[in-house]
C-alpha cells in the first residue's frame, strides 16, 4: 500500500524539512505505473544526478552515462513492481548500486580496443579524476555520499531524500567522509593540512 | 541556520573548491527520448535478480544431469549443461553433431540490439573442469574405437562424418580462454571501411568517434549483441555502425561470451 502524502516531510535532526516536489513525484510514479510512460520524464531529469553519482562512485568513468541510462530503462520497465511510490528514490538508488557492481564485474572480461582513437583528456578533467580517485579509495559508505555532494552538487537533505538513506546516515557519512578526504588530499599535497 | 552548514561541518570554502574542481565529471542526462524508446522496445538490460535465477536454474540442471549420468552409469547422460563442450560423446552413436560455425544467426529482436543468449554458467568451476576432462577422455576413447572399426571396414559414411564432427568438438576444448586484443582488432579491421561509410551516410563530423559495444559468443565467435554507446545510442549513425560491426566473426574461445568496446573514428 502506498505511503500517504505525509512522506513529503523528512526529519533532518535540526527540525523537519518540507521537501517541495515530492508529492508531485509520487503522483508521477503512480501515473507511470498506470501506463503513462511520458510521466517518467520529470523523474528522469530529477533523479539523473543521483543515479549518475551513485554509478560514478564505483564504475569506470567512460561507462557511467551508459550504465546510468540503463538503470532508468530498467526502472521504467520494472516500475510496476514498486509497491510504495514514495520509496521510488531508494528503489532507484539500489538499482543503480547493483548496476554499478555488475558493470565492475563485467568489465573484468571486457577487451577494450583503442587502436585508432586518441582521446585527449582536458587538464581540468584530469584534475577532477585525480580527486575522484582519492574519493573512491574511501570506505564505500562515504564515497557515494561524497560524490553526490561534491560532484553532483546535491545538499545533504537532498541526498537523503533521493537515495532513501536516513538523514542521520547521510550526515555522518558526509562529516566523516569529508574529514578523511581532507586528510588524504592534504597528505597528497605534502601534508600541509593533514 | 543554513542547511548545508549543519550537514558539512560549516566548511563552505573547502566544499565549494572541491565542487568546482569536480564539476567536469558532471554529465547532463542523455535525451529522455532515448530512454523512452529503449523502454518501449523492450531493450532493458538484464537484471541481477533474473541473472541469479538463471544461475540457479543452470546449477540445478547441471546437478540433475550429473545425478542421472551417475544413476544410469553408462555415461550417455552427459552433464553438457555445465561445460562449454559443444557435442556429447554419444553423437558417435546417433546423429552427427552440427558444426557451430555453420549455425544460422539468431533473428535480431530490434534494429539496435540483438539479445544475448543466456550463457551456460558452471555451477562450480572445479566440477565443470573435471566433467570436461572426463568427457574429453571418453570422446577420444570412442574416436580411437571408431578408427579401428573404420580400418576394419566396419563403419558407415554417416558414422565417419559423425566421428569427424565429434573430433572437431573435442578439439574445441583446446581453444583459448578468450581472444587477444590483437585478434579482436584483426576481426574488426575488414569492417572498418563499411563502418566509416556510415559516417558519410549520416553526416558525421570528421574525427567523430562512435563507440560500439559488442558481445561475442565463445562457442561460435559470432556477435550476439551490438549496441552503440552514448552519445550515439539510439541515433541513426550509431545504429548503422552497430549493424555493420554485428557481422564480425571472431576466433572461437572457451568463455561463454565476452564484451568488447570498439571505437570507430569517422
Amino acid at each position: 500500500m502506498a505511503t500517504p502524502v505525509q512522506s513529503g516531510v523528512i526529519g533532518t535532526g535540526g527540525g523537519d524539512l518540507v521537501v517541495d516536489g515530492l508529492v508531485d513525484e509520487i503522483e508521477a510514479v503512480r501515473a507511470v505505473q498506470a501506463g503513462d510512460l511520458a510521466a517518467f520524464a520529470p523523474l528522469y531529469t530529477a533523479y539523473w544526478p543521483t543515479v549518475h553519482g551513485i554509478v560514478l562512485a564505483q564504475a569506470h568513468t567512460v561507462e557511467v552515462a551508459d550504465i546510468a541510462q540503463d538503470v532508468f530503462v530498467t526502472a521504467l520497465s520494472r516500475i510496476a513492481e514498486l509497491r510504495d511510490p514514495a520509496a521510488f528514490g531508494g528503489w532507484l538508488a539500489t538499482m543503480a548500486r547493483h548496476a554499478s557492481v555488475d558493470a565492475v564485474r563485467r568489465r573484468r572480461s571486457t577487451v577494450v580496443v583503442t587502436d585508432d582513437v586518441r582521446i585527449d583528456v582536458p587538464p581540468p578533467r584530469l584534475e577532477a579524476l585525480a580527486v575522484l580517485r582519492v574519493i573512491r579509495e574511501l570506505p564505500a559508505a562515504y564515497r557515494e555520499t561524497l560524490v553526490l555532494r561534491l560532484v553532483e552538487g546535491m545538499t545533504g537533505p537532498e541526498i537523503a531524500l533521493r537515495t532513501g538513506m536516513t538523514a542521520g546516515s547521510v550526515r555522518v557519512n558526509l562529516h566523516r567522509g569529508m574529514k578523511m578526504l581532507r586528510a588524504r588530499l592534504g597528505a597528497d599535497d605534502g601534508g600541509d593540512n593533514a | 541556520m543554513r542547511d548545508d552548514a549543519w550537514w558539512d561541518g560549516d566548511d563552505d570554502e573547502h566544499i565549494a573548491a572541491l565542487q568546482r574542481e569536480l564539476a567536469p565529471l558532471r554529465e547532463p542526462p542523455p535525451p529522455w527520448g532515448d530512454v523512452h524508446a529503449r523502454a518501449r522496445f523492450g531493450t532493458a538490460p538484464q537484471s541481477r535478480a533474473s541473472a541469479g535465477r538463471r544461475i540457479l536454474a543452470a546449477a540445478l540442471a547441471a546437478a540433475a544431469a550429473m545425478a542421472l549420468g551417475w544413476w544410469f552409469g553408462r555415461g550417455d547422460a552427459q552433464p553438457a549443461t555445465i561445460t562449454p563442450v559443444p557435442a556429447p560423446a554419444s553423437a558417435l552413436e546417433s546423429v552427427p553433431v552440427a558444426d557451430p560455425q555453420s549455425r544460422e544467426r539468431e533473428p535480431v529482436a530490434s534494429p539496435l540490439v540483438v539479445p544475448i543468449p543466456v550463457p551456460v554458467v558452471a555451477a562450480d568451476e572445479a566440477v565443470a573442469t573435471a566433467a570436461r576432462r572426463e568427457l574429453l577422455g571418453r570422446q577420444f576413447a570412442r574416436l580411437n574405437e571408431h578408427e579401428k572399426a573404420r580400418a576394419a571396414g566396419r563403419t558407415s559414411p554417416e558414422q565417419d562424418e559423425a566421428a569427424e564432427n565429434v573430433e572437431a568438438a573435442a578439439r574445441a576444448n583446446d581453444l583459448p580462454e578468450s581472444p587477444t586484443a590483437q585478434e579482436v582488432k584483426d576481426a574488426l579491421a575488414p569492417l572498418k571501411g563499411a563502418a566509416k561509410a556510415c559516417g558519410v551516410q549520416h553526416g558525421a563530423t570528421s574525427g567523430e568517434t562512435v563507440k560500439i559495444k559488442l558481445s561475442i559468443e565463445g562457442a561460435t565467435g559470432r556477435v550476439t549483441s551490438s549496441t552503440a554507446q552514448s552519445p550515439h545510442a539510439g541515433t541513426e549513425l550509431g545504429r548503422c555502425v552497430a549493424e555493420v560491426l554485428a557481422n564480425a566473426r571472431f576466433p572461437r574461445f572457451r568463455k561463454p561470451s565476452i564484451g568488447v568496446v570498439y571505437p570507430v573514428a569517422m
Side-chain angles (χ1 to χ4, degrees):
Chain A
M1 186 163 173
T3 304
V5 170
Q6 65 193 18
S7 57
V9 179
I10 61 170
T12 63
D16 284 344
L17 174 76
V18 178
V19 181
D20 295 331
L22 183 61
V23 178
D24 291 343
E25 287 178 8
I26 293 172
E27 290 308 314
V29 172
R30 287 196 179 119
V32 180
Q33 287 179 320
D36 179 9
L37 291 190
F40 197 79
L43 294 170
Y44 173 63
T45 311
Y47 280 89
W48 172 263
T50 310
V51 172
H52 184 268
I54 290 172
V55 177
L56 183 65
Q58 283 204 70
H60 195 279
T61 46
V62 297
E63 293 179 332
V64 171
D66 291 327
I67 297 167
Q69 200 181 8
D70 281 350
V71 170
F72 283 102
V73 174
T74 306
L76 193 46
S77 64
R78 294 176 52 192
I79 199 161
E81 298 169 18
L82 178 63
R83 290 183 186 176
D84 178 4
F88 176 75
W91 179 71
L92 191 66
T94 303
M95 214 174 271
R97 288 182 198 113
H98 288 168
S100 309
V101 171
D102 284 348
V104 170
R105 201 176 291 149
R106 205 169 47 234
R107 194 174 172 79
R108 289 183 197 136
S109 63
T110 299
V111 181
V112 179
V113 186
T114 54
D115 61 335
D116 59 350
V117 177
R118 190 170 61 91
I119 301 171
D120 293 321
V121 182
R125 190 172 160 84
L126 276 180
E127 288 165 19
L129 288 171
V131 178
L132 180 66
R133 206 170 299 128
V134 178
I135 294 175
R136 281 175 169 173
E137 287 167 3
L138 300 179
Y142 305 150
R143 62 180 175 234
E144 180 181 304
T145 319
L146 283 181
V147 169
L148 292 174
R149 178 78 182 99
L150 300 174
V151 179
E152 306 298 340
M154 295 165 70
T155 63
E158 206 179 347
I159 295 169
L161 174 69
R162 296 275 187 231
T163 61
M165 280 192 278
T166 64
S169 296
V170 175
R171 184 186 177 193
V172 168
N173 290 348
L174 274 180
H175 187 75
R176 292 185 184 163
M178 280 303 298
K179 197 173 171 186
M180 287 178 79
L181 179 63
R182 206 177 294 129
R184 296 205 182 188
L185 289 176
D188 287 350
D189 291 341
D192 297 344
N193 303 322
Chain B
M1 181 180 167
R2 189 183 60 82
D3 285 339
D4 290 358
W6 182 83
W7 292 84
D8 298 328
D10 209 7
D11 195 359
D12 272 350
E13 284 181 23
H14 196 231
I15 294 277
L18 282 169
Q19 283 181 336
R20 273 195 302 276
E21 200 164 354
L22 288 163
L25 296 177
R26 274 184 217 166
E27 289 180 276
W32 154 243
D34 290 358
V35 176
H36 192 204
R38 286 182 59 197
R40 279 183 62 200
F41 292 113
T43 57
Q46 290 166 341
S47 68
R48 276 163 63 96
S50 62
R53 279 194 293 271
R54 285 197 310 276
I55 291 169
L56 183 63
L60 288 173
M66 290 178 72
L68 280 172
W70 172 80
W71 179 257
F72 289 108
R74 292 180 56 224
D76 286 333
Q78 300 299 340
T81 50
I82 60 164
T83 74
V85 177
S90 56
L92 260 178
E93 298 156 2
S94 52
V95 291
V97 182
D99 179 5
Q101 293 283 12
S102 66
R103 265 196 276 158
E104 287 299 315
R105 274 191 66 189
E106 295 293 323
V108 177
S110 83
L112 266 183
V113 176
V114 185
I116 307 173
V118 179
V120 177
V121 180
D124 178 85
E125 191 60 33
V127 173
T129 307
R132 188 162 55 229
R133 281 184 187 149
E134 189 189 340
L135 179 58
L136 263 178
R138 274 204 298 267
Q139 281 176 332
F140 281 117
R142 283 166 191 244
L143 282 170
N144 286 338
E145 283 171 24
H146 179 81
E147 274 306 308
K148 286 176 193 166
R150 181 155 66 178
R154 288 187 282 113
T155 61
S156 67
E158 289 79 15
Q159 282 176 322
D160 290 343
E161 191 185 342
E164 282 166 21
N165 285 330
V166 171
E167 193 174 354
R171 265 193 235 111
N173 286 282
D174 294 333
L175 294 174
E177 185 73 5
S178 59
T180 63
Q182 189 57 48
E183 284 172 332
V184 172
K185 286 179 197 172
D186 292 345
L188 290 166
L191 299 169
K192 266 190 198 168
K196 283 174 192 275
C198 289
V200 179
Q201 193 183 337
H202 295 288
T205 55
S206 178
E208 188 174 351
T209 300
V210 180
K211 281 188 291 178
I212 304 293
K213 185 167 186 182
L214 302 170
S215 289
I216 305 158
E217 190 181 37
T220 61
R222 290 179 188 276
V223 175
T224 53
S225 157
S226 177
T227 319
Q229 305 276 281
S230 181
H232 295 97
T235 65
E236 286 300 315
L237 175 60
R239 184 195 308 261
C240 178
V241 179
E243 282 179 356
V244 169
L245 296 192
N247 295 307
R249 296 286 295 274
F250 297 84
R252 291 186 295 156
F253 51 91
R254 276 216 307 278
K255 276 188 179 177
S257 67
I258 63 160
V260 170
V261 177
Y262 191 70
V264 182
M266 295 292 125

